[in-house]
């Protein structure tokens, strides 16, 4: 067992540890969601690095247990990637504030990592800009290089839903036959936290695992830019270009950051052309439809029409529920049904946030020794999405009803007489009358300025149908229940 003094006597060890750990954090940040990253990785303090063993300090035994249980693979993979095979991570657990009592745990990385993901243990590999990849390409072309694929992202654990169906199908086709489909480039676009990075990396992981491609690299457009600038400064632009142009699959994430960076775009444009010409696969993502990308070269944008552009939409309720189920199962936790529905009903914007809530919930439950109930979930969500107990509004009802029937929300206020919309509109009016104190006139106004008699008609029509049709009645009660779960009623 080492002493704390030991640590302080080797400042250079500490410096190295800090560099190595920040390189690790770069990778970990991509592998876990923001919330987990903040909760579980930011508090870790690197202490020293000695003969391939990185020692870090964690705040408590609980913290250590949590990391071991939930992030063992991520940490192992990262440490091996950054320090090479045979590296080890040692935890220093602070057992009390005064550091009177210390403890060490040694964690050894998994011995057999696929060659392609091994990271050269040379000191220059500690830069976070990925200059090592460049370095490797000049020296050991054809040999292993860092693909920056996170093994966590696979097709198997990507939940299908209406919102991502096309993108997923296209991704799968591309992974099975890189460069050989008409989906080249494959461009995936959509808001943040909806699964673009996951899907793109799944292509790479799948293609490698199934022998469909050998040289695959995942790079964000920012990193590509930084490396490009580095390459110019160090006069290694041809190394840089030939490295990226040697790929079977080039995956570039978040190309919106290429905006306005003309020189980088120019280089990327030529890389794109060269790869495309020899039948190599390009996979790109963006946070908006390509035609809305300002500051991107038209030449480049026109290339996207050679392939397929597909969006990913925010997940609908069913998909959100399926994701929560899957993620909690993966964590070995049996989440009660009402808790799943409660979270899924409240956290609607993206999947990263959904994961964040789940993690907070598990952390709170284990920290406070509380059972996982809707009550606890409500407490957690108060922090994450604000107070969920606000009084019910007509907007909330509209949103919930539209979500339930899976129809676009604006249509409920529009003129359309399509049967399914009329049905949803009537249910929403009924619930607005039932659950809020709004007058018929006010309710009518919220539905595209309809007359109060329309609201009365809707109300009666829903009541009649509920009496006659059990399934209809069940639907309405389900929506009511959901509103109750929202904490609004
Ligand atoms: P984006 O790149 O679009 O911002 P990410 O790919 O980083 O989003 O996804 C955010 C988080 O949500 C990741 O942890 C990812 O694994 C998870 N995720 C996204 N979509 C799905 C899905 N369909 N099934 C399972 N997990 C998903
Ligand atoms: Mg992303």
């Amino acid at each position: 067992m080492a002493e704390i003094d030991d640590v302080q006597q080797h400042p250079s060890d500490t410096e190295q540890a800090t560099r190595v750990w920040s390189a690790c954090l770069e990778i970990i940040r991509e592998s876990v969601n923001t919330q987990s990253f903040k909760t579980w990785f930011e508090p870790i303090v690197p202490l020293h690095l000695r003969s391939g063993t990185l020692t870090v300090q964690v705040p408590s035994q609980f913290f250590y247990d949590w990391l071991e249980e939930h992030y063992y693979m991520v940490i192992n993979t990262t440490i091996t990637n950054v320090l090479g095979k045979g590296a080890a991570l040692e935890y220093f657990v602070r057992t009390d504030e005064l550091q009177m009592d210390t403890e060490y745990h040694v964690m050894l990385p998994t011995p057999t990592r696929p060659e392609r993901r091994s990271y050269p243990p040379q000191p220059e590999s500690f830069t976070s800009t990925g200059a090592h990849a460049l370095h490797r390409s000049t020296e050991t072309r054809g040999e292993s290089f860092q693909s920056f694929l996170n093994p966590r992202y696979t097709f198997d654990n990507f939940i299908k839903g209406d919102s991502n169906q096309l993108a997923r199908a296209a991704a799968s086709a591309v992974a099975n036959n890189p460069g050989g489909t008409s989906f080249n480039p494959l461009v995936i676009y959509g808001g943040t936290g909806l699964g673009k990075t996951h899907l793109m990396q799944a292509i790479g992981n799948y293609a490698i695992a199934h022998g469909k491609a050998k040289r695959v690299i995942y790079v964000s457009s920012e990193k590509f830019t930084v490396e490009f600038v580095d390459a110019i400064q160090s006069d290694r632009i041809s190394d840089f270009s030939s490295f990226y142009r040697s790929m079977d699959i080039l995956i570039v994430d978040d190309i919106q950051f290429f905006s306005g960076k003309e020189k980088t775009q120019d280089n990327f444009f030529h890389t794109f052309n060269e790869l495309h010409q020899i039948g190599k696969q390009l996979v790109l993502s963006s946070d908006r439809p390509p035609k809305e990308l300002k500051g991107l070269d038209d030449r480049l944008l026109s290339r996207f029409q050679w392939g397929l552009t597909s969006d990913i939409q925010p997940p609908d309720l069913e998909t959100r529920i399926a994701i929560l189920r899957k993620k909690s199962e993966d964590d070995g936790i049996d989440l009660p049904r009402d808790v799943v529905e409660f979270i899924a009903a409240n956290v609607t914007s993206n999947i990263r946030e959904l994961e964040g809530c789940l993690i907070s919930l598990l952390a709170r439950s284990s920290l406070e020794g509380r059972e996982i109930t809707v009550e606890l979930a409500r407490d957690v969500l108060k922090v994450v999405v604000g107070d969920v107990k606000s009084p019910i509004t007509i907007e909330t009802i509209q949103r919930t009803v539209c979500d339930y029937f899976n129809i676009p929300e604006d249509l409920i206020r529009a003129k359309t007489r399509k049967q399914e919309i009329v049905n949803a509109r009537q249910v929403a009016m009924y619930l607005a009358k039932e659950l809020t104190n709004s007058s018929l006139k006010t309710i009518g106004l919220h539905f595209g300025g309809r007359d109060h008699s329309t609201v009365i008609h809707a109300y009666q029509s829903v009541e009649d149908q509920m009496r006659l049709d059990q399934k209809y009645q069940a639907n309405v009660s389900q929506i009511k229940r959901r509103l109750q779960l929202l904490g609004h009623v």
Side-chain angles (χ1 to χ4, degrees):
M1 191 174 273
E3 302 294 332
I4 189 84
D5 280 347
D6 239 342
V7 173
Q8 286 154 352
Q9 277 164 13
H10 300 273
S12 62
D13 285 348
T14 311
E15 256 169 49
Q16 267 221 319
T18 308
R19 281 174 69 202
V20 169
W21 183 242
S22 64
C24 291
L25 284 182
E26 287 285 331
I27 298 175
I28 294 171
R29 194 195 297 277
E30 294 301 316
S31 321
V32 305
N33 66 49
T34 314
Q35 184 134 11
S36 333
F37 185 79
K38 279 207 176 110
T39 314
W40 302 109
F41 292 96
E42 279 184 356
I44 298 176
V45 182
L47 293 179
H48 54 77
L49 177 70
R50 279 174 213 157
S51 23
T53 298
L54 174 66
T55 305
V56 296
Q57 185 183 57
V58 292
S60 68
Q61 181 67 36
F62 167 80
F63 203 99
Y64 163 75
D65 291 340
W66 185 273
L67 285 172
E68 273 281 61
E69 190 163 335
H70 297 268
Y71 298 109
Y72 182 82
M73 281 306 292
V74 172
I75 295 172
N76 265 358
T77 309
T78 308
I79 292 289
T80 312
N81 274 345
V82 174
L83 284 170
K85 278 185 194 153
L89 182 70
E90 207 176 33
Y91 286 105
F92 174 84
V93 180
R94 273 180 68 166
T95 47
D96 73 31
E97 280 303 304
L98 296 168
Q99 302 179 355
M100 298 292 282
D101 197 3
T102 60
E103 249 183 82
Y104 277 93
H105 294 271
V106 178
M107 183 175 89
L108 291 166
T110 33
T112 47
R113 296 271 315 135
E115 247 322 84
R116 63 178 184 274
R117 291 194 186 109
S118 74
Y119 200 96
Q122 294 95 333
E124 57 265 44
S125 65
F126 301 147
T127 62
S128 59
T129 57
H132 55 277
L134 196 55
H135 183 79
R136 297 294 290 176
S137 78
T138 55
E139 282 188 32
T140 56
R141 171 67 82 80
E143 279 184 26
S144 67
F145 64 95
Q146 168 73 319
S147 68
F148 289 100
L149 290 170
N150 183 333
R152 193 175 84 98
Y153 295 130
T154 64
F155 286 122
D156 287 342
N157 62 18
F158 187 85
I159 307 285
K160 289 179 221 171
D162 288 350
S163 53
N164 59 38
Q165 204 174 14
L166 176 63
R168 195 200 171 281
S172 168
V174 162
N176 269 297
N177 190 6
T181 69
S182 55
F183 308 151
N184 197 15
L186 174 62
V187 183
I188 300 170
Y189 73 89
T192 178
L194 298 181
K196 300 184 296 296
T197 300
H198 186 139
L199 208 48
M200 299 173 98
Q201 294 217 10
I203 295 175
N205 282 321
Y206 182 97
I208 290 176
H210 293 79
K212 310 284 182 187
K214 284 202 177 71
R215 295 177 67 83
V216 179
I217 198 157
Y218 165 86
V219 63
S220 68
S221 66
E222 287 156 302
K223 192 165 154 218
F224 187 92
T225 306
V226 170
E227 285 185 14
F228 175 71
V229 172
D230 275 358
I232 293 181
Q233 280 166 1
S234 56
D235 206 14
R236 293 204 301 188
I237 201 73
S238 70
D239 291 345
F240 171 86
S241 301
S242 62
F243 175 71
Y244 281 104
R245 293 171 198 182
S246 71
M247 294 299 152
D248 298 323
I249 305 181
L250 172 59
I251 305 171
V252 185
D253 208 350
D254 292 317
I255 57 164
Q256 68 271 12
F257 295 119
F258 276 149
S259 277
K261 304 193 176 85
E262 280 164 33
K263 286 221 175 75
T264 312
Q265 275 187 50
D266 190 55
N267 185 286
F268 179 67
F269 177 74
H270 292 296
T271 301
F272 183 108
N273 285 345
E274 217 164 285
L275 286 173
H276 197 275
Q277 214 158 34
I278 52 172
K280 304 299 187 185
Q281 181 70 44
L282 292 127
V283 182
L284 314 172
S285 83
S286 146
D287 69 347
R288 67 203 78 172
K291 62 177 188 311
E292 287 173 22
L293 284 169
K294 301 223 165 61
L296 231 67
D297 193 337
D298 286 342
R299 290 184 308 171
L300 194 54
L301 291 178
S302 74
R303 291 292 185 268
F304 296 167
Q305 282 153 19
W306 290 354
L308 178 81
T309 298
S310 169
D311 65 339
I312 299 191
Q313 290 290 325
D316 55 28
L317 185 73
E318 269 60 46
T319 312
R320 298 199 298 273
I321 290 177
I323 287 171
L324 283 168
R325 289 229 173 90
K326 172 86 173 74
K327 304 236 182 240
S328 52
E329 257 170 40
D330 289 351
D331 279 337
I333 286 151
D334 191 18
L335 272 192
R337 216 187 99 189
D338 54 351
V339 174
V340 171
E341 287 184 1
F342 175 77
I343 300 174
N346 277 286
V347 182
T348 53
S349 59
N350 73 54
I351 297 167
R352 193 175 291 129
E353 213 173 84
L354 211 55
E355 285 184 340
C357 283
L358 187 61
I359 302 224
S360 304
L361 185 67
L362 304 183
R364 279 283 289 273
S365 153
S366 56
L367 273 170
E368 297 169 17
R370 285 169 70 183
E371 217 186 308
I372 299 177
T373 59
V374 171
E375 274 319 299
L376 183 62
R378 197 188 297 279
D379 284 354
V380 169
L381 259 60
K382 255 185 223 161
V383 181
V384 184
V385 292
D387 196 349
V388 287
K389 263 190 189 155
S390 49
I392 188 152
T393 62
I394 298 174
E395 285 80 10
T396 317
I397 294 174
Q398 291 176 333
R399 185 162 13 96
T400 309
V401 168
C402 290
D403 203 45
Y404 186 85
F405 291 116
N406 207 0
I407 58 170
E409 205 187 312
D410 45 344
L411 290 189
I412 208 166
R413 292 180 286 267
K415 289 251 179 297
T416 174
R417 306 277 321 150
K418 258 180 85 180
Q419 192 49 48
E420 54 170 0
I421 310 287
V422 172
N423 179 45
R425 190 184 295 135
Q426 290 191 334
V427 171
M429 285 179 170
Y430 168 85
L431 290 170
K433 164 95 175 61
E434 279 276 285
L435 305 175
T436 72
N437 295 324
S438 311
S439 67
L440 294 171
K441 189 165 169 224
T442 307
I443 295 174
L445 283 175
H446 275 84
F447 286 85
R450 286 179 160 81
D451 198 73
H452 81 280
S453 63
T454 311
V455 183
I456 295 179
H457 172 74
Y459 188 85
Q460 274 164 359
S461 156
V462 171
E463 274 210 318
D464 292 348
Q465 287 187 72
M466 284 208 297
R467 229 178 300 115
L468 296 171
D469 182 349
Q470 254 186 5
K471 201 165 157 241
Y472 186 92
Q473 201 243 336
N475 276 336
V476 178
S477 340
Q478 268 259 333
I479 301 173
K480 231 183 190 175
R481 199 167 103 84
R482 241 166 233 179
L483 285 161
Q484 270 154 359
L485 282 172
L486 279 166
H488 286 292
V489 183

